[in-house]
């Protein structure tokens, strides 16, 4: 029986299998075989080489070198852990008690914000009629929030919609944030991996915030971009107004981390630091994430082409225009239920699919199934 799952949240290869990046596997083997390796505790703020590499990856070497006195970095338990630490800190030290989030957003954002004793309020983001960004609505809502509101932004590959602002949208968004003295928290879960395939492009918004001299927190995850889902590897990088602020923030973050995790795990951080520090290994990593991204782009195109060839009612160009692993198909809840019940294609009831679930083998079947539910619903 055919059984196609396109609702999961991790990358899958052409055969639909979990994927270990070859360069990650090589370094892991090297680490395990290293007889000098110890299992001593890391410092509270984590592995220094890893923190440096993550900040440089995010901000670029130039920005990092120019502003290193003003950049605080701590290692965290992947993207989720760094968001949790960021909001714990902000709850202690920021005056805003509200966090503005995109509508929709990754569901866990709401829980993390709530557990950090904030309330969240949505800003307009996704326009279902165009299946694109409602930049006008977003700017109006950000303008309407009281000065100094904390604003959570997806740096790239927005989850769940796959809809990202263009660079010129980001210019408007960040200039407004600066004027309103809002405090941005960037969620950087997909930099380089799976969005555009280029870490520099994907960090465009974050680097623009540096140029505009906006203080921010950036919560970085290595789960998707290194395929280290279970090693819980990530960092919180903070861009601050002064060297004094950096020292104060770093020391307070350490107090929070001490009671939450005491100190972070070593393995994933060591693997990532080793890769990013070496020109050769870094190049290998860049090639792999580019190839992973290209597979996603190809499957987007394949699905789109088939839907058009079948003359499926509707405009499906959003499938090729959206970014990252996820696509908001625009299918209704009842169409999603029909896809699952009748065709055994399993997707999220809000219409989100993981493009990595598509392969050369199953894309025809999925396109046909979508065609059938869309036409039977008309
Ligand atoms: N933010 C977003 C937008 C995500 O999609 C995810 C993973 N699904 C995360 C954060 C958390 O990632 P991690 O597994 O590194 O905690």
């Amino acid at each position: 029986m055919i059984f196609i799952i396109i609702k999961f949240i991790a990358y899958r290869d052409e055969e639909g299998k979990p994927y270990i990046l070859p360069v990650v596997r090589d370094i892991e083997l090297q680490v395990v075989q290293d007889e000098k390796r110890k299992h001593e505790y890391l410092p509270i703020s984590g592995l220094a080489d890893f923190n440096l590499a993550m900040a440089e990856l995010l901000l670029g070497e130039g920005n990092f070198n120019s502003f290193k006195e003003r950049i605080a970095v701590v290692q965290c338990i992947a993207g989720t852990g760094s968001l949790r630490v960021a909001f714990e800190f902000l709850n202690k030290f920021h005056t805003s008690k509200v966090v503005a989030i995109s509508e929709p957003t990754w569901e866990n954002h709401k829980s993390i914000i709530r557990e950090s004793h904030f309330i969240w309020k949505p800003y307009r983001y996704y326009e279902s009629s165009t299946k694109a960004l409602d930049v006008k609505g977003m700017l109006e809502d950000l303008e309407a929030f009281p000065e100094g509101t904390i604003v959570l932004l997806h740096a790239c590959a927005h989850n769940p919609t796959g809809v990202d602002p263009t660079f010129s949208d980001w210019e408007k968004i960040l200039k407004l944030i600066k004027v309103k003295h809002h405090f941005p928290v960037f969620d950087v879960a997909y930099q380089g991996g799976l969005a555009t395939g280029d870490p520099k492009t994907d960090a465009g918004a974050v680097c623009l915030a540096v140029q505009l001299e906006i203080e921010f927190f950036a919560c970085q995850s290595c789960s998707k971009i290194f395929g280290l889902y279970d090693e819980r590897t990530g960092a919180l990088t903070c861009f601050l107004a002064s060297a004094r602020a950096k020292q104060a923030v770093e020391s307070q973050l350490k107090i929070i981390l001490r009671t939450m995790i005491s100190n972070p795990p070593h393995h994933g951080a060591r693997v990532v630091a080793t890769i990013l520090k070496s020109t050769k290994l870094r190049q290998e990593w860049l090639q792999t994430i580019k190839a992973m991204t290209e597979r996603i782009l190809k499957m987007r195109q394949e699905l789109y082409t088939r839907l058009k060839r079948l003359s499926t009612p509707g405009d499906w160009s959003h499938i090729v225009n959206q970014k990252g692993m996820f696509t908001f198909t625009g299918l209704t809840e009842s169409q999603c239920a029909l896809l699952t019940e009748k065709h055994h294609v399993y997707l999220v009831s809000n219409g989100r699919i993981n493009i990595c679930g598509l392969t050369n083998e199953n894309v025809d079947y999925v396109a046909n199934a979508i065609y059938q539910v869309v036409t039977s619903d008309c």
Side-chain angles (χ1 to χ4, degrees), residues 52-72:
L52 179 76
M54 290 302 283
E56 269 184 10
L57 175 68
L58 182 69
L59 306 172
E61 223 181 303
N63 273 331
F64 181 75
N65 288 334
S66 312
F67 295 106
K68 58 171 169 271
E69 310 299 314
R70 292 166 47 186
I71 297 164

Side-chain angles (χ1 to χ4, degrees), residues 32-241:
V32 170
Q33 283 161 9
D34 179 359
E35 285 180 7
K36 288 200 234 95
R37 182 172 62 114
K38 298 189 185 70
H39 280 299
E40 294 296 301
Y41 287 127
L42 284 181
I44 300 170
S45 56
L47 186 65
D49 276 355
F50 169 77
N51 291 346
L52 179 76
M54 290 302 283
E56 269 184 10
L57 175 68
L58 182 69
L59 306 172
E61 223 181 303
N63 273 331
F64 181 75
N65 288 334
S66 312
F67 295 106
K68 58 171 169 271
E69 310 299 314
R70 292 166 47 186
I71 297 164
V73 195
V74 288
Q75 189 185 328
C76 291
I77 308 294
T80 306
S82 83
L83 285 159
R84 183 68 182 84
V85 169
F87 286 115
E88 187 72 21
F89 175 95
L90 291 169
N91 182 256
K92 275 174 108 175
F93 299 107
H94 201 278
T95 49
S96 174
K97 291 297 160 227
V98 170
V99 179
I101 57 171
S102 64
E103 175 54 42
T105 193
W106 181 46
E107 270 308 305
N108 205 19
H109 280 155
K110 295 179 185 168
S111 314
I112 294 169
I113 290 166
R114 197 186 49 238
E115 288 302 310
S116 312
H117 310 287
F118 281 103
I119 55 165
W120 52 263
K121 289 195 178 159
Y123 56 82
R124 276 172 286 171
Y125 188 86
Y126 176 76
E127 172 53 55
S128 52
S129 64
T130 55
K131 300 186 184 68
L133 181 72
D134 175 7
V135 70
K136 188 169 165 285
M138 179 175 178
L139 291 168
E140 278 169 13
D141 288 352
L142 292 181
E143 170 85 58
F145 279 110
E147 287 224 341
T149 298
I150 298 165
V151 180
L152 181 56
L153 299 159
H154 297 231
C156 61
H158 185 274
N159 178 6
T161 66
V163 170
D164 284 347
T166 62
F167 193 72
S168 96
D169 293 334
W170 276 121
E171 284 180 320
K172 292 182 199 128
I173 294 163
L174 290 170
K175 281 180 183 160
L176 175 64
I177 282 180
K178 185 173 166 89
V179 171
K180 293 280 303 186
H181 304 288
H182 291 335
F183 187 88
V185 175
F186 289 100
D187 184 340
V188 196
Y190 301 92
Q191 188 195 351
L194 323 172
T196 63
D198 173 29
K200 265 197 203 143
T201 309
D202 291 347
V206 179
C207 292
L208 185 58
V210 172
Q211 277 166 35
L212 293 171
E213 290 271 345
I214 301 171
E215 286 192 307
F216 63 79
F217 281 3
C219 305
Q220 298 170 266
S221 164
C222 297
S223 304
K224 319 276 154 124
I225 61 175
F226 287 90
L228 285 168
Y229 301 94
D230 62 345
E231 293 296 343
R232 312 310 295 140
T233 311
L236 170 59
T237 295
C238 312
F239 178 67
L240 301 153

